[in-house]
């Protein structure tokens, strides 16, 4: 039975850098947290989640927002699930974070959970960049004027990293998100590093043989 815990969030990375192998070394900074939750017994939060009607590129996106009864001067948190999952598995995390005074936002990525599942016929190509762009627009439209922390699990951690660094903008041809200056940290659980290898192969420093081996 888990009675106590600490959360440590990774400091805001250099916004201008691209996602590649060197970003793995960011993990060593987990001890330098910008957001922490004091140790306490986990108690269920009485705050109720509310669904938020929102669309991305015309497609329905399922989203939940949970507002703590006692607001504190703390960043809002965006929860990004892993592959084949949904907002559902964040329910205990949401409870703990709202108990600590954080506003919590969670969304189902396109093609997963209760969100719409468009395909190529709809002009949708699923990728880390697509989901990062989805999260970026979500923050811009729904978390205005708020300091934010992104928390991702597995594939969601890559989506979070791509969103925070703005790496996705090259693929989807979008401007850097204005909310980057409000991002106070990123938390990555069970980071799905291998899922990013194809993106790494596009880095210009590789010769054809190296690119072939990476892919």
């Amino acid at each position: 039975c888990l009675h106590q815990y600490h959360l440590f969030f990774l400091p805001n990375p250099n916004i201008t850098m691209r996602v590649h192998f060197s970003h793995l070394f960011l993990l060593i900074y987990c001890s330098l947290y910008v957001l922490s939750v004091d140790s306490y017994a986990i108690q269920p939060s009485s705050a109720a989640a509310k669904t938020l009607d929102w669309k991305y590129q015309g497609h329905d996106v399922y989203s939940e927002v949970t507002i703590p009864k006692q607001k504190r001067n703390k960043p809002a948190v965006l929860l990004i699930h892993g592959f084949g999952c949904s907002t559902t598995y964040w329910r205990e995390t949401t409870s703990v974070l709202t108990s600590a005074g954080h506003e919590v936002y969670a969304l189902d990525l396109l093609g997963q959970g209760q969100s719409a599942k468009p395909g190529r016929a709809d002009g949708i190509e699923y990728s880390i960049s697509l989901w990062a762009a989805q999260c970026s627009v979500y923050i811009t439209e729904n978390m205005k004027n708020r300091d934010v922390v992104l928390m991702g699990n597995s594939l969601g951690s890559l989506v979070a990293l791509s969103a925070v660094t703005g790496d996705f903008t090259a693929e989807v041809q979008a401007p850097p998100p204005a909310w980057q200056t409000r991002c106070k940290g990123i938390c990555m659980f069970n980071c799905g590093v291998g899922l990013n290898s194809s993106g790494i192969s596009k880095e210009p420093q590789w010769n054809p043989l190296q690119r072939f081996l990476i892919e």
Side-chain angles (χ1 to χ4, degrees), residues 22-192:
S22 64
H23 289 131
L24 298 182
F25 293 104
L26 288 172
L27 296 177
I28 66 174
Y29 292 107
C30 286
S31 60
L32 301 175
Y33 58 91
V34 295
L35 172 67
S36 65
V37 179
D38 293 333
S39 177
Y40 57 87
I42 295 178
Q43 299 293 335
S45 172
S46 58
K50 297 181 180 179
T51 57
L52 175 65
D53 293 328
W54 187 69
K55 292 180 182 290
Y56 178 65
Q57 296 187 0
H59 304 291
D60 291 328
V61 172
Y62 181 80
S63 171
E64 294 181 351
V65 181
T66 310
I67 308 297
K69 288 190 174 182
Q70 294 183 346
K71 292 186 179 181
R72 304 176 188 176
N73 187 25
K74 294 186 177 183
V77 180
L78 176 62
L79 303 176
I80 308 171
H81 63 77
F83 183 76
C85 298
S86 69
T87 57
T88 302
Y89 78 25
W90 289 115
R91 57 189 181 275
E92 296 299 329
T93 305
T94 298
S95 178
V96 171
L97 288 172
T98 52
S99 293
H102 297 279
E103 288 186 10
V104 179
Y105 297 74
L107 79 167
D108 286 348
L109 300 174
L110 279 182
Q112 304 184 53
Q114 298 183 59
S115 288
K117 299 170 177 61
R120 291 180 177 174
D122 304 295
I124 294 295
E125 290 281 349
Y126 291 108
S127 66
I128 298 296
S129 294
L130 171 74
W131 289 316
Q134 175 189 344
C135 292
S136 180
V137 175
Y138 181 89
I139 293 171
T140 299
E141 297 185 0
N142 300 300
M143 304 172 72
K144 299 177 180 179
N145 304 317
R146 296 298 313 275
D147 288 341
V148 297
V149 167
L150 279 68
M151 179 187 296
N153 180 64
S154 189
L155 176 142
S157 63
L158 297 179
V159 173
L161 185 59
S162 180
V164 170
T165 60
D167 181 73
F168 69 92
T169 59
E171 183 172 333
V172 300
Q173 297 182 344
W179 58 265
Q180 284 179 329
T181 57
R182 296 186 282 112
C183 182
K184 298 304 179 181
I186 177 174
C187 184
M188 298 183 290
F189 294 112
N190 307 311
C191 186

